[in-house]
Amino acid sequence: MAAAGRRGAGPGPLPVLLLCAAAGSLVGAQITSETKEVPENQSADIPCSAYRSKWNNPRIEWKFQKGSSLVLFYYGGQLTEPYKTRVQFSPTMIHFTTVTRADTGKYICEVVGENSEIAKSEVNLIVQVPPSKPVAHVPTSATIGSKALLRCTETDGSPPPTFQWYKNSMLMPADPKTSLTFRNSSYTIDSTTGVLTFEPVSSFDTGDYYCEASNNVGSSQRSEAIHMEASEVNVGGIVAAVVVLLMVLALVAFGIWFAYTRGFFSSDTAGKKVIYSQPSHRSEGEFKQTSSFLV
């Protein structure tokens, strides 16, 4: 009865009320879920598995969820903006004439019957986009015995790509101990985030590094190669720099002491006196101070 009363309400607050009613009633509803992948710029059909043909005069709503955002897609017998020109509705599905990467997300179909029966289905749409050329973030130098992070980033691929690393044009295995070429290195590779971690860096890690991104859509893409040099800590250079700094500080201190002993920082105003001459007898209207000067 409550649901029927809300359907008879005015058009203004109706969307909010219906959403609240559906949310409260979906606790016991059967929910189906599936994933659908479609290449970008192709057409796509998203089924509403929740539709029941035997239900009389069912009310159908579509919602689109992306991250924390949830918007009405189809409500009150019509598509909402900006889908009116891109989507065709039928009780059993919605049809996209063409999809873009912005359409990736979850499409929720809710069906409510006259007797408040409720069914819900979800379709996770993944619009397939090949990866773009990744960017390798590689330090040009790394200290032997320290930790070094190499990162690979790519922003366009859908689904998100996985990453591989190459050194001197050779594929780096996930476990360096399984390879004669890399067994003297100590590293880990996170293929999901694209992070290559050396811990610790060794002399064998000097080389040219690049990464590769792939997601089984289109061809894999490789970054530019960047050279990383693994080197020892330059103890001699550090000692020399410290010695030079101490010499500079000593020279500055000597200069200040020398200037002070020569009186460059003393004040000359203490020895100066102010002398006033005695005024002469003048008329009352005349200026009485005749002169003053410093000695």
Side-chain angles (χ1 to χ4, degrees):
M1 294 297 292
R6 290 188 177 96
R7 283 197 293 269
L14 186 55
V16 176
L17 292 175
L18 283 172
L19 284 173
C20 294
S25 303
L26 281 172
V27 176
Q30 183 179 2
I31 302 175
T32 62
S33 180
E34 63 179 287
T35 299
K36 191 178 185 68
E37 296 191 13
V38 179
E40 189 175 31
N41 300 321
Q42 299 294 319
S43 62
D45 292 328
I46 302 180
C48 177
S49 302
Y51 178 73
R52 304 291 187 269
S53 59
K54 60 182 179 181
W55 290 0
N56 294 324
N57 193 26
R59 174 175 55 82
I60 301 175
E61 289 181 5
W62 279 92
K63 302 168 191 173
F64 175 60
Q65 182 177 359
K66 190 166 189 174
S68 59
S69 174
L70 180 66
V71 299
L72 278 171
F73 187 95
Y74 177 87
Y75 170 77
Q78 61 181 356
L79 294 161
T80 59
E81 296 291 348
Y83 302 104
K84 290 183 177 180
T85 59
R86 302 178 52 229
V87 176
Q88 299 171 358
F89 168 82
S90 70
T92 57
M93 72 173 62
I94 52 176
H95 172 77
F96 280 87
T97 54
T98 181
V99 290
T100 67
R101 62 194 68 188
D103 297 319
T104 294
K106 181 184 293 185
Y107 293 83
I108 305 169
C109 179
E110 295 178 1
V111 182
V112 181
E114 278 189 335
N115 298 323
S116 297
E117 309 99 332
I118 296 177
K120 178 181 177 180
S121 61
E122 299 176 350
V123 176
N124 293 302
L125 178 65
I126 299 175
V127 179
Q128 297 175 334
V129 182
S132 58
K133 184 176 182 178
V135 177
H137 306 269
V138 179
T140 55
S141 63
T143 303
I144 293 175
S146 66
K147 180 179 179 179
L149 294 178
L150 285 66
R151 295 182 297 108
C152 186
T153 58
E154 191 280 335
T155 57
D156 294 328
S158 177
T162 56
F163 300 94
Q164 292 179 314
W165 279 93
Y166 291 78
K167 176 189 175 185
N168 298 332
S169 300
M170 294 186 64
L171 177 64
M172 300 177 66
D175 184 359
K177 304 309 177 185
T178 62
S179 170
L180 293 176
T181 304
F182 297 98
R183 64 181 178 181
N184 292 319
S185 294
S186 180
Y187 65 79
T188 58
I189 298 177
D190 190 326
S191 60
T192 302
T193 62
V195 175
L196 167 60
T197 305
F198 288 97
E199 192 173 11
V201 175
S202 70
S203 59
F204 299 98
D205 298 326
T206 293
D208 297 325
Y209 292 87
Y210 64 85
C211 60
E212 181 181 73
S214 60
N215 64 353
N216 297 322
V217 182
S219 58
S220 301
Q221 297 292 322
R222 294 182 176 181
S223 69
E224 297 291 339
I226 300 177
H227 183 76
M228 184 180 77
E229 186 73 26
S231 59
E232 297 281 359
V233 177
N234 189 357
V235 178
I238 295 175
V239 172
V242 172
V243 171
V244 171
L245 178 61
L246 292 175
M247 292 177 62
V248 171
L249 292 176
L251 288 173
V252 172
F254 175 78
I256 295 174
W257 173 82
F258 183 82
Y260 183 79
T261 57
R262 292 296 183 271
F264 290 106
F265 296 115
S266 61
S267 175
D268 294 335
T269 59
K272 294 182 179 180
K273 298 180 180 178
V274 179
I275 301 177
Y276 294 95
S277 64
Q278 295 295 327
S280 61
H281 295 285
R282 296 177 181 272
S283 61
E284 193 173 14
E286 294 178 338
F287 184 70
K288 294 184 178 181
Q289 182 175 339
T290 58
S291 63
S292 64
F293 57 90
L294 292 174
V295 178

